[in-house]
Amino acid sequence: MGGLAAAVRGIIVGRNRPSILSSQALRYVEGSASASARRPARFSFSSVAGESGNDYGENIRWGILSAGKISSDFVKAIGITEGAKASAVAARSHAKAETFASEHSIPAAYGSYDELLADPTVDVVYVGSIADEHANLAAKALLAGKPTVVEKPLTISSEETRKLVALAKENDTFLMEGMWTRCFPAMRRVRDLVASGAIGPISVVQGDFGWSTEGCGPDDRIWNPRSGGMVLDIGMYLAQLGNVAFPNADVKGVQAMGMQKNGIDHTALVNVKYGKAAMLVEGGGRQMAGESTSQRDESEGGMLQFYVTGNANTEERVVMEGTQGRIIIESPAHVPSSVRLIRNGGRGVETEEVFDHPLPDDTFSTWNYPGSVGFTYQIKEVGDALRRGEKECRHFTLKESLQVADMLDEVLDQVRGQGWRKEEDKEEAATSAATSI
C-alpha cells in the first residue's frame, strides 16, 4: 500500500486546506423493513446489467457500519429496493448489533467494524456513524477493498475529504458521499431542466433549511463541538445546489455570517459567487449553460444564497432564477417530490408547468427522519454504478463533494472564527489525556 494509504491508516491529522478561492486542488478528480406482512412490494426500477463484467448476483449485499437511527432508516429503504439486500451490521458492541440485526432481519451481526469489513459476503459498505467517525471508518472500508457510501458529511473537513478521495482513487474503489437528494427523480428533473436551458442562464439560487433544536438535550450530537452545528448537519443540502445551477463552475468567493449557541454554529447566512457555469459538449468543448454554441462569452456567473438554522422549522423551498424564468423546488427541498417550471412570456405574462414525482409509500413502517424512504433512490443508483464498474456516483461526484467541503470549511471559519478546529482539537486531546490518567 502506498504512503498515502499508510498516512490515512491513522486518520486523519492536520486540517489546513487550500483556499476555496482556487479550484486547482479540484482538478485531479475531474475526470427495515422487518419481515412484517405490512412491508410493501420491493420498489422496482429499471435495472442495469453488469456492463463491466461485474457479477453481484441477484442482490448487491450491504454491510452497515453503526446501528443508529439513520442506519435503521437506510436499512428499511434497502428492504424495499429491488436488487439490494442488507447482509450484515456492525456496532461497537455485539449486543447492539444483534438487536439491530433482529429488528431488521439481517443475517449477520458483528461486535467490531473490522469483522464486518473482513466478511466476503459484503459487497458494499454504508457508514452511518456520527460524523466524527466518518473519515476513519470510510478509510478502513476502502483499505479493505469495500465500495463505500458515507452518510453526509463525507468527513468533517475539506482536508479529510481530500485524503479520503485520494485513498479511494489509489485503491481504485468506489466512494460516495451520501448526498441522496441528488438521486431523487425530482432533482434529476431539475438538472435536466437546467441543462436544457429551460429558464436561460441562472443568475441567483436561494434556499433555506432549518429545524428546531429546542428539544435536543445536552448530549445530543448537534452540540458536538467538532462535528455538530447546523452547517455540518444540513449545510451541504444547500451548498450542493450551486453544482446543480452552475455545473462545472468554480467558486469565486464565499461570505458568511452567523450566530452560535452552546459553542456551535446555530444559524448561518451564506452568499457564494460562482464563475460562469459550463457544460461539456460533444468534441470536448465547454458550452455555457443555457446558451447556444454561438454564445460562449464568459459572463458574470451566478450567485447562491442560503441560510441554515436551528432556531426554527423553516419552509425549505428552493428558487432558481434564470433570465427566462424560474425553477421552484417545493418543500421539503432536501427530499423533493414536486418541481415547478415558470417561463417568462413577456412583461406580466408567465406560463407554469408542474412536475410531480411522488415518493414511495412509507406507511409500512415508522421512520426516524422524514422522507427517509427516498434512500431507495440512492441505493438503486449505487447498485447501478457498481454493476457498471464505476468508482463514483454519476449524480454526485467526488469533485462535487470536494467543492462542497471547501465551501463549508470556509463558512465555518467565518462563522466560528479562524482556528476553531485547532482549539477543539486541543480540548479533545486534553479531555482524552485526563481520562487516561
Side-chain angles (χ1 to χ4, degrees), residues 239-305:
Q240 61 89 22
L241 292 170
N243 303 138
V244 176
F246 313 111
N248 302 304
D250 294 331
V251 172
K252 300 299 184 182
V254 176
Q255 294 179 335
M257 61 189 302
M259 296 180 291
Q260 298 187 46
K261 182 177 180 179
N262 296 337
I264 58 94
D265 47 285
H266 203 237
T267 296
L269 175 64
V270 183
N271 294 310
V272 185
K273 182 179 180 180
Y274 287 84
K276 184 61 180 176
M279 299 178 294
L280 296 180
V281 296
E282 187 176 355
R286 290 166 68 85
Q287 179 176 332
M288 300 305 129
E291 298 177 350
S292 69
T293 54
S294 62
Q295 299 173 308
R296 295 186 183 179
D297 58 302
E298 292 289 338
S299 60
E300 62 187 25
M303 300 288 294
L304 166 65
Q305 181 182 69

Side-chain angles (χ1 to χ4, degrees), residues 262-388:
N262 296 337
I264 58 94
D265 47 285
H266 203 237
T267 296
L269 175 64
V270 183
N271 294 310
V272 185
K273 182 179 180 180
Y274 287 84
K276 184 61 180 176
M279 299 178 294
L280 296 180
V281 296
E282 187 176 355
R286 290 166 68 85
Q287 179 176 332
M288 300 305 129
E291 298 177 350
S292 69
T293 54
S294 62
Q295 299 173 308
R296 295 186 183 179
D297 58 302
E298 292 289 338
S299 60
E300 62 187 25
M303 300 288 294
L304 166 65
Q305 181 182 69
F306 67 86
Y307 69 86
V308 293
T309 184
N311 282 326
N313 299 311
T314 70
E315 181 183 15
E316 202 200 336
R317 189 177 73 145
V318 170
V319 179
M320 298 181 175
E321 294 283 0
T323 59
Q324 299 168 28
R326 71 183 66 91
I327 296 169
I328 299 173
I329 307 174
E330 299 288 8
S331 175
H334 81 288
V335 286
S337 61
S338 182
V339 176
R340 280 196 290 150
L341 170 63
I342 300 174
R343 289 188 171 97
N344 298 331
R347 187 172 182 178
V349 179
E350 292 182 338
T351 61
E352 180 175 315
E353 192 172 358
V354 178
F355 303 93
D356 288 323
H357 299 275
L359 304 188
D361 180 17
D362 65 357
T363 59
F364 66 91
S365 186
T366 300
W367 303 79
N368 293 300
Y369 301 101
S372 285
V373 70
F375 275 132
T376 188
Y377 302 124
Q378 181 185 24
I379 293 161
K380 184 263 182 184
E381 292 297 340
V382 171
D384 285 352
L386 294 180
R387 293 184 188 280
R388 289 190 294 258

Side-chain angles (χ1 to χ4, degrees), residues 1-13 143 163 166-167 170-171:
M1 201 65 66
L4 172 65
V8 178
R9 284 184 188 278
I11 223 125
I12 286 172
V13 297
L143 289 169
K163 290 182 177 181
L167 181 64
E170 181 181 285
N171 284 269

Side-chain angles (χ1 to χ4, degrees), residues 96-116:
K96 186 173 183 180
E98 281 193 321
T99 298
F100 188 94
S102 176
E103 291 174 350
H104 297 283
S105 301
I106 298 175
Y110 297 106
S112 78
Y113 299 130
D114 290 341
E115 287 181 277
L116 184 147

